[in-house]
Amino acid sequence: EIISESQVDSFNFPVYAASAKEMKGIIERNGCFSIERLETTNPLSEAFVQPDTRVVTLHLRAGLEGIISKHFGNKIIDELFDRFDKKAEENSYLLNNPSYSLNQLFLVLIRK
């Protein structure tokens, strides 16, 4: 057994991606910043034809490794992301679906 069921059950990583409208409301309610620029962009350039599952895996690892290793320990990290990479490769057709699009929120804020 690599990790216990109780470790999995106690791991909580809530993620919520706010829409541009929600983010604008949050910033306005906060009152510390004015919005200079707010737009939704597609992070993929025209030259980027096919998503590389290894790149996706590396990006996720860069962002999540610290949180995961703090909860589960360092021993599982390499195997976890190797398994994720294999699953991502098996399901790479999902990334190549024309209806799938990546979006990111771009903000320029000025402190009031």
Side-chain angles (χ1 to χ4, degrees), residues 34-95:
S34 62
I35 300 172
E36 180 76 14
R37 188 170 166 191
L38 183 150
E39 63 186 65
T40 303
T41 63
N42 183 330
L44 302 179
S45 71
E46 294 295 324
F48 190 79
V49 178
Q50 186 174 0
D52 181 348
T53 57
R54 187 67 184 151
V55 171
V56 171
T57 301
L58 291 172
H59 275 86
L60 283 173
R61 184 171 183 162
L64 300 175
E65 182 174 353
I67 295 164
I68 293 170
S69 63
K70 184 174 183 176
H71 187 80
F72 296 104
N74 293 327
K75 292 189 299 185
I76 70 156
I77 296 298
D78 289 335
E79 184 175 352
L80 172 73
F81 286 101
D82 285 345
R83 286 182 180 200
F84 179 87
D85 190 45
K86 287 179 182 137
K87 286 290 184 184
E89 186 62 37
E90 289 170 10
N91 296 288
S92 63
Y93 66 91
L94 295 171
L95 291 174

Side-chain angles (χ1 to χ4, degrees), residues 1-47:
E1 183 173 292
I2 298 171
I3 56 175
S4 69
E5 187 173 339
S6 65
Q7 280 182 299
V8 174
D9 290 344
S10 66
F11 184 66
N12 185 19
F13 185 68
V15 176
Y16 179 76
S19 68
K21 182 179 177 181
E22 290 171 312
M23 186 59 74
K24 183 178 179 185
I26 291 166
I27 293 165
E28 288 172 348
R29 279 192 307 278
N30 175 275
C32 294
F33 299 93
S34 62
I35 300 172
E36 180 76 14
R37 188 170 166 191
L38 183 150
E39 63 186 65
T40 303
T41 63
N42 183 330
L44 302 179
S45 71
E46 294 295 324

